[in-house]
Amino acid sequence: MLKKTAFLSLLVVGLTAVTPQLVSAMDRRGEQNEARAQMMAGKVKSIRSIENQILPRMSGSEYIGPEFDPSAQVYRLKFIRDGRVVFIDVDGRTGTILRQTR
């Protein structure tokens, strides 16, 4: 009985640790699907065209990757420069840089 209780406790702790990661992965998948759907409908530019515009401006930075906000139709590109995270928000419709954090 004690072994079964200990096993169940460890299982619950393990699932609790993994669940936020799974939810985060599902959120990213949803973002990707929504970005693709909006791009295919002609509502936003592709992430590749946005990256081709922004990446050359960020030499000396390490590119971490994009996020997409479907309600605002904004791509957020993430970089690391000099140990600090830099976010560049880009209008998905026009490719215009909306803001950059340093």
Side-chain angles (χ1 to χ4, degrees):
M1 180 71 174
L2 183 57
K3 287 182 181 180
K4 192 174 189 179
T5 304
F7 173 75
L8 289 175
S9 296
L10 287 173
L11 182 62
V12 168
V13 169
L15 289 175
T16 303
V18 172
T19 301
Q21 294 170 349
L22 292 175
V23 169
S24 178
M26 289 171 37
D27 287 346
R28 282 192 302 273
R29 178 65 52 105
E31 287 175 3
Q32 291 172 352
N33 289 340
E34 185 62 31
R36 180 168 175 72
Q38 288 194 28
M39 192 238 349
M40 297 298 284
K43 294 180 180 179
V44 296
K45 295 182 173 215
S46 73
I47 185 58
R48 297 297 165 238
S49 68
I50 299 290
E51 289 172 336
N52 288 339
Q53 173 189 336
I54 302 298
L55 292 178
R57 300 177 183 195
M58 296 300 293
S59 63
S61 299
E62 180 182 349
Y63 182 48
I64 304 300
E67 289 181 0
F68 181 69
D69 180 346
S71 61
Q73 295 181 322
V74 171
Y75 289 101
R76 172 169 274 186
L77 282 64
K78 297 179 279 186
F79 298 86
I80 293 180
R81 177 187 284 164
D82 299 327
R84 300 188 74 194
V85 177
V86 176
F87 297 108
I88 299 180
D89 294 339
V90 180
D91 185 317
R93 296 167 295 235
T94 65
T96 303
I97 295 174
L98 301 172
R99 70 190 137 273
Q100 178 175 339
T101 63
R102 295 178 195 243

